[in-house]
Amino acid sequence: MPSSPLRVHVSLQRACPACLDVRCADPAECLYFLTSRPWGDCVKCDGSGWAGEDSPLEIFCGYCDGSGLNEYTPGAITPDDISDRAKERHAAYVARLVDLLAASSAPLAVAA
């Protein structure tokens, strides 16, 4: 019986914590989502973003898709409870989305 090649695509990019996709379909919505709620370390991977030994076929954590961040309900976590590493990752995602929005914003013209 002839064999057929099996193609596997593995993305080594970490997903956006807001939409859980590598490329945000709506960066403005993701930015709003990231800045309007508290975010902290992922409860499954402790913020590393890597899959554990219990998931040998995955590269990134299946709970946060590699972002290392989880959304918390307002009041469920205080700023003191959020690790410095989580604050840095959160700031990096917000900065990336701001840059995406700045690059994709088309100048508006007023019709005379």
Side-chain angles (χ1 to χ4, degrees), residues 60-111:
F60 297 122
C61 172
Y63 198 71
C64 67
D65 279 348
S67 72
L69 296 171
N70 285 143
E71 173 195 6
Y72 287 83
T73 56
I77 192 169
T78 65
D80 294 335
D81 296 333
I82 301 172
S83 72
D84 290 337
R85 211 173 66 196
K87 290 176 185 175
E88 290 170 6
R89 278 194 314 277
H90 181 264
Y93 281 111
V94 169
R96 178 176 121 355
L97 290 170
V98 167
D99 290 344
L100 274 174
L101 286 173
S104 66
S105 295
L108 297 176
V110 178

Side-chain angles (χ1 to χ4, degrees), residues 27-73:
E29 185 176 342
C30 291
L31 182 63
Y32 170 76
F33 195 67
L34 278 174
T35 56
S36 65
R37 295 164 173 85
W39 292 81
D41 285 318
C42 176
V43 296
K44 296 290 183 187
C45 67
D46 293 325
S48 73
W50 299 108
E53 292 180 9
D54 57 337
S55 304
L57 299 178
E58 295 181 13
I59 297 172
F60 297 122
C61 172
Y63 198 71
C64 67
D65 279 348
S67 72
L69 296 171
N70 285 143
E71 173 195 6
Y72 287 83
T73 56

